[in-house]
Amino acid sequence: MAKSCETLELRDEQNQPLKCEVLRRVVIEDQVYALATPLDAVIKVLVWEEEAGQNGDAEMEGILDEPDPEELQAALPTLQAVLGELNLTLQQNGFDILTVQGELPPVEEEDVFELGESEEEAQEFQLLATFFHQDKQYGVFTPLEPPLIYVALPDEGDPYLLDPEDSPALFNQLSALLLDLDEAGEDEE
């Protein structure tokens, strides 16, 4: 029997939806907050700023960077075709988040990359595929740990995404409470 989960839908300023799974709830000063993650697997599309390995071999060289939004938009048909070969369906969501529906391939050690601005921010990502568009090589990555987002669940109105810059004190309190819940859950197992 499939495990059921609580879901919610967030909407960005353009009213684009992002479906999420609620992982935990907490109450602070009579306000309910949730820790959630996108329902489908999040992907990140990056471009190699320098040429790939010689003769198209599998060894990637150069710096990975975010493509310009216009470049990414132009590459979407190719991206959809490449993901289709993996039986994955591209989903464009609110908050400029790309996800895929379908079963991700198993993680192979050679497909794991550590990405981030610094060592402290680095996360492990699985390389799902590479493709070329307009003489640039792109990589399609998914984080090994699903991204976590904090959501306010008001009594009236729609749930909304919390921005850590809007209220750092609240964000720190939520992080501490939800971390305590995670540690308590691990202790019980």
Side-chain angles (χ1 to χ4, degrees):
M1 176 179 260
K3 178 186 163 191
S4 65
C5 61
E6 179 186 359
T7 61
L8 59 85
E9 187 173 89
L10 299 172
R11 294 201 168 263
D12 65 12
E13 292 176 354
Q14 289 77 38
N15 204 30
Q16 297 295 312
L18 174 64
K19 292 182 181 174
C20 296
E21 175 185 356
V22 175
L23 303 174
R24 302 247 190 284
R25 288 175 175 254
V26 295
V27 178
I28 299 174
E29 298 177 12
D30 297 327
Q31 172 61 52
V32 180
Y33 299 95
L35 179 65
T37 189
L39 202 52
D40 297 317
V42 172
I43 62 167
K44 183 180 214 81
V45 179
L46 300 173
V47 63
W48 269 274
E49 288 300 326
E50 295 177 16
E51 296 207 13
Q54 295 176 328
N55 302 324
D57 66 14
E59 186 178 332
M60 307 299 170
E61 297 176 2
I63 297 170
L64 283 167
D65 202 3
E66 303 255 346
D68 292 329
E70 297 82 28
E71 286 179 6
L72 181 58
Q73 199 63 37
L76 283 181
T78 305
L79 173 60
Q80 288 173 326
V82 168
L83 291 171
E85 291 174 8
L86 298 171
N87 295 320
L88 298 171
T89 305
L90 178 66
Q91 304 291 312
Q92 292 181 275
N93 303 283
F95 308 98
D96 296 324
I97 294 175
L98 295 175
T99 60
V100 291
Q101 289 182 333
E103 188 172 332
L104 295 175
V107 178
E108 301 289 337
E109 189 175 330
E110 64 268 10
D111 294 335
V112 175
F113 285 71
E114 198 167 279
L115 304 174
E117 298 289 320
S118 65
E119 273 190 44
E120 296 83 37
E121 294 177 8
Q123 289 181 286
E124 289 187 325
F125 285 79
Q126 175 186 5
L127 176 64
L128 297 176
T130 60
F131 66 94
F132 284 89
H133 180 75
Q134 296 182 346
D135 297 327
K136 290 187 176 182
Q137 184 173 17
Y138 291 80
V140 183
F141 298 87
T142 187
L144 294 185
E145 292 291 324
L148 302 175
I149 54 178
Y150 295 92
V151 179
L153 304 171
D155 290 336
E156 294 184 21
D158 295 328
Y160 60 91
L161 186 66
L162 293 172
D163 185 343
E165 294 176 11
D166 290 343
S167 181
L170 172 63
F171 201 78
N172 289 338
Q173 189 177 6
L174 279 171
S175 295
L177 278 171
L178 291 166
L179 181 61
D180 287 346
L181 286 174
D182 277 344
E183 288 174 355
E186 288 173 6
D187 291 344
E188 290 172 9
E189 291 177 7

